[in-house]
Amino acid sequence: MTEIQNRFRADPEQMGDLMKVALGQMEADMAVINGDIVNVYTGEILAGNTVLVKGDRIAYVGKNGAKSVGSSTEVIDAAGKTVIPGLIDGHTHIDNPYTPEELVRYAMKGGVTTVFTEVDEIAFTLGYRGIIQFLKAVENQPIKIFITVPPMVTISRAAEEQAITVKELSKLLKRKGVIGLGEPYWSQVITGNRRVLDLIAETINSGKTVEGHSAGARDNKLQAYFALGISSCHEPITAEEARERLRLGLFIPIREGEIRRDLEAISKLKDENIDMGKLVLSTDGIGPEQLVADGYLEFVVQKAIDLGFDPVTAIKMVTLHPAQRFGLDNIIGGIAPGKLADIVIIPEVSTIRPECVISNGKLIFRDGAFLVEPEKYAYPAWTEKSVRLTRDVTDKDFTVPVDKARHRAGVRVMDLVTPLVTREAVIDFPVNNGELSIDVSNDLLKIAAIERTHIPGKTFTCFVRGFRLKSGAIATTSVWDLTDIIVIGASEADMALAVNRVRQLKGGTVVCSGNRVLAEMALPIGGVVSREPMEILARQLADIQQAAAGLGFPHPDLRTTMSVMATSAIPFLRICEDGLYSIDQDCLVDLIVD
């Protein structure tokens, strides 16, 4: 029995009450009457039905519930409306840049009653203790939030030494709210990272699930990865890739969030004669600007319908299917007796605009108003001490020395070919007084990785092309899969200013130019989480984006582009405090080629 099942297990007294309500022998606590109910099990829409709720569970669904509606029953008339199960985000990341309660506000009004999230950023910066803090922050929220433990695959030796152990994972898997293991990147799994293999085995042997991350894997390598027992993958970006993984029996969370928007491309599957029972709609992380502008998962479901998915099928992809993916469809994902009372009322089946939201049998949102508030959590002071640099940096810290006898050098450069993907370029650089210099005219900027937590101050500097800054610098602690500050600049002096301001903020993102800070966002909790409300974060990120664009940055999402510069999840050349790392070769490579 999983922890979610233990958490919401029914006792004999409750079971007896549910039967009495269903038989008309006891008053229901709540009744949703006259609604057209979407039955996700048969695909039908059942007109004019009643849902009876006792405690946190559904007792009865049908047309003969009137005997259990009494003077103490809270009655919600859904006449002319459609009643659907609470929405489930089956794969996301909500540990950056906002606190959980900020996400919960948007979830509640969007009809989301369950979230499954990985907590990789908190784990890398705050470790096992940080994961515990996150669990405490979400355990008393009006909606259900469950985590997958990140396997912490990294290119950084310092981060690898601090990564989650099998012993720590074993303890976490026994805790309420932990549903499985997060996404181990396939490239490092199939090359034999023993710690990660042991984590996968521990999770599967505990009866819990392992999320997949197979971007770029095909045929033999793809099947070698999933032969380990991994049961889902959210990485397909085309209908063809999704179909290939569906044929392997995998659940496919289709991403439509901050990192990727793959729904339109994968929606071609709806026109094919294949079973869509393992397709799930998810966000894979959703940023403040998108939440404020579009809402949460309700926007994704509406987009699926607008793209031509049958509305009931689209609803199943955020209710029954993710519940089945985690083996929890006997508890969540549908409106039926014995299930948790997670219920959303919408105008009609093709309009995903929640008017009334019930979570765990409690009315939490109605007609634009919150009826309960998210639980605020006070993170302890130690969580704000992840930036441990012992001094301010200077422009000299970003010197790239070479043999003084050389006049030119072939240099590996991180070449940004999309907002996320880099490739290796070898550029012929002039050597000036034993140093390699920034060349703004050719878009050859400096990029540095500064370890901020475990080996504070250890720095590696090289070059990047594709950011197109004409002046200034950008620094951030919001970096995937390690504990580095990443800083990119057209000026070493501005690089130093940006890093030093990040240090003062105890973590964050800073854009500066001409010895002046242009925009910033503080992320003091682990260097990845802000205490500010979502709306302020959205404005700060817009200011940061605008400031970066003013310096020449050409892409639409600076936050994500900066965050992925050190991850092994995306090809091909990455940076950490140890040096340049080739994803293809799975090792560090020399900066100087000849």
Side-chain angles (χ1 to χ4, degrees):
M1 181 175 285
T2 67
E3 294 304 320
I4 183 174
Q5 290 168 323
N6 276 320
R7 177 175 172 181
F8 293 103
R9 65 189 303 176
D11 60 31
E13 183 177 351
Q14 182 189 33
M15 293 165 65
D17 288 348
L18 289 170
M19 288 192 292
K20 290 176 182 177
V21 170
L23 292 168
Q25 299 170 357
M26 177 182 284
E27 287 188 7
D29 294 333
M30 180 184 293
V32 179
I33 64 173
N34 302 321
D36 297 340
I37 297 173
V38 173
N39 188 302
V40 295
Y41 306 108
T42 64
E44 300 171 283
I45 299 176
L46 307 175
N49 272 236
T50 291
V51 182
L52 300 178
V53 176
K54 187 66 178 178
D56 61 2
R57 304 273 178 152
I58 295 169
Y60 173 86
V61 183
K63 293 183 179 294
N64 298 313
K67 288 184 178 179
S68 297
V69 179
S71 59
S72 63
T73 303
E74 182 176 11
V75 178
I76 301 169
D77 191 347
K81 308 291 184 181
T82 298
V83 182
I84 65 174
L87 308 185
I88 302 171
D89 191 344
H91 179 82
T92 192
H93 302 258
I94 63 167
D95 55 340
N96 174 287
Y98 37 73
T99 55
E101 60 263 27
E102 285 299 308
L103 185 279
V104 168
R105 285 198 297 123
Y106 282 83
M108 288 166 62
K109 66 182 181 180
V112 178
T113 56
T114 305
V115 174
F116 294 101
T117 182
E118 191 168 348
V119 288
D120 43 326
E121 299 204 46
I122 283 289
F124 270 102
T125 59
L126 299 178
Y128 175 84
R129 291 197 300 163
I131 297 174
I132 298 299
Q133 289 300 314
F134 187 89
L135 286 168
K136 291 180 178 179
V138 302
E139 65 182 345
N140 294 317
Q141 296 297 344
I143 68 169
K144 296 170 285 298
I145 299 177
F146 300 95
I147 76 161
T148 55
V149 179
M152 299 177 68
V153 177
T154 178
I155 63 174
S156 163
R157 285 176 290 188
E160 175 69 25
E161 289 173 0
Q162 303 297 322
I164 197 84
T165 65
V166 173
K167 183 177 180 181
E168 290 171 332
L169 174 66
S170 180
K171 290 192 291 184
L172 287 168
L173 290 171
K174 294 179 175 67
R175 293 185 69 99
K176 293 179 179 179
V178 179
I179 201 66
L181 185 70
E183 44 189 301
Y185 306 145
W186 74 272
S187 58
Q188 295 203 1
V189 169
I190 68 170
T191 54
N193 185 316
R194 185 53 191 261
R195 180 184 65 83
V196 178
L197 289 172
D198 288 345
L199 295 177
I200 293 171
E202 180 69 21
T203 305
I204 291 173
N205 289 337
S206 75
K208 297 194 175 181
T209 59
V210 182
E211 300 275 74
H213 184 112
S214 64
R218 291 179 177 82
D219 198 20
N220 298 80
K221 290 180 179 179
L222 182 71
Q223 297 200 33
Y225 178 65
F226 287 110
L228 300 176
I230 297 166
S231 53
S232 74
C233 182
H234 60 282
E235 288 298 318
I237 62 175
T238 66
E240 291 74 21
E241 290 182 352
R243 188 190 308 109
E244 181 182 17
R245 287 158 177 79
L246 286 171
R247 287 171 175 166
L248 302 180
L250 303 173
F251 279 90
I252 308 299
I254 304 171
R255 297 176 293 186
E256 191 69 19
E258 182 179 27
I259 307 304
R260 292 278 319 185
R261 294 200 172 193
D262 300 321
L263 178 55
E264 184 169 2
I266 297 177
S267 69
K268 295 176 183 177
L269 289 176
K270 73 183 185 306
D271 302 318
E272 301 182 15
N273 187 27
I274 63 171
D275 192 313
M276 293 191 288
K278 287 184 177 287
L279 286 180
V280 173
L281 297 176
S282 68
T283 61
D284 193 28
I286 186 164
E289 292 173 287
Q290 186 179 353
L291 281 163
V292 171
D294 298 331
Y296 188 18
L297 198 58
E298 74 278 20
F299 167 81
V300 181
V301 187
Q302 187 65 60
K303 183 171 181 177
I305 294 170
D306 294 344
L307 285 169
F309 278 95
D310 170 72
V312 173
T313 299
I315 289 165
K316 290 171 69 173
M317 290 162 66
V318 288
T319 55
L320 180 62
H321 295 182
Q324 290 173 328
R325 184 266 174 277
F326 288 103
L328 302 174
D329 51 304
N330 63 329
I331 298 204
I332 59 175
I335 298 175
K339 307 295 189 290
L340 287 173
D342 295 341
I343 301 166
V344 178
I345 300 174
I346 58 178
E348 50 94 23
V349 71
S350 297
T351 304
I352 311 301
R353 188 175 66 245
E355 298 178 354
C356 180
V357 181
I358 299 162
S359 177
N360 302 327
K362 295 182 180 178
L363 188 58
I364 63 173
F365 180 83
R366 188 173 192 179
D367 297 331
F370 294 100
L371 303 183
V372 297
E373 290 295 325
E375 184 83 10
K376 290 188 179 295
Y377 181 72
Y379 281 89
W382 65 264
T383 64
E384 295 194 5
K385 297 178 181 179
S386 71
V387 181
R388 299 171 186 166
L389 302 183
T390 58
R391 64 170 178 85
D392 280 351
V393 302
T394 71
D395 57 347
K396 301 300 181 185
D397 289 305
F398 304 112
T399 299
V400 182
V402 294
D403 186 346
K404 289 186 177 181
R406 303 188 64 153
H407 298 289
R408 306 197 69 83
V411 179
R412 276 193 174 90
V413 171
M414 300 178 69
D415 197 9
L416 192 68
V417 293
T418 77
L420 302 180
V421 176
T422 64
R423 66 185 174 193
E424 176 183 306
V426 177
I427 305 295
D428 185 46
F429 268 72
V431 178
N432 299 311
N433 298 317
E435 295 182 15
L436 300 176
S437 301
I438 293 169
D439 182 356
V440 173
S441 63
N442 287 307
D443 188 27
L444 294 169
L445 311 180
K446 281 187 176 177
I447 177 171
I450 307 169
E451 218 293 324
R452 62 178 169 92
T453 304
H454 307 305
I455 314 175
K458 184 179 181 182
T459 301
F460 174 76
T461 303
C462 61
F463 293 87
V464 66
R465 182 170 65 183
F467 275 76
R468 301 183 192 172
L469 304 186
K470 302 302 181 185
S471 63
I474 305 159
T476 187
T477 53
S478 180
V479 180
W480 292 5
D481 301 340
L482 40 61
T483 51
D484 286 2
I485 297 170
I486 296 294
V487 57
I488 294 169
S491 154
E492 291 91 346
D494 282 326
M495 291 172 72
L497 174 64
V499 171
N500 292 333
R501 180 56 181 160
V502 163
R503 180 185 177 219
Q504 291 171 353
L505 295 172
K506 300 181 181 179
T509 301
V510 173
V511 181
C512 63
S513 182
N515 202 35
R516 183 169 65 92
V517 173
L518 304 180
E520 66 181 25
M521 176 173 65
L523 300 169
I525 301 170
V528 294
V529 176
S530 171
R531 296 186 186 277
E532 297 290 348
M534 192 74 72
E535 297 76 15
I536 290 178
L537 291 177
R539 289 199 297 270
Q540 289 178 336
L541 285 168
D543 290 344
I544 287 169
Q545 183 68 33
Q546 182 178 7
L551 299 178
F553 181 68
H555 299 297
D557 184 2
L558 174 73
R559 184 170 92 95
T560 302
T561 300
M562 291 288 290
S563 294
V564 303
M565 298 307 290
T567 182
S568 62
I570 302 173
F572 287 96
L573 193 61
R574 299 290 144 179
I575 187 175
C576 69
E577 76 281 355
D578 294 317
L580 280 171
Y581 196 95
S582 169
I583 304 302
D584 277 350
Q585 300 177 53
D586 193 29
C587 64
L588 294 167
V589 293
D590 293 333
L591 174 62
I592 306 300
V593 177
D594 58 27

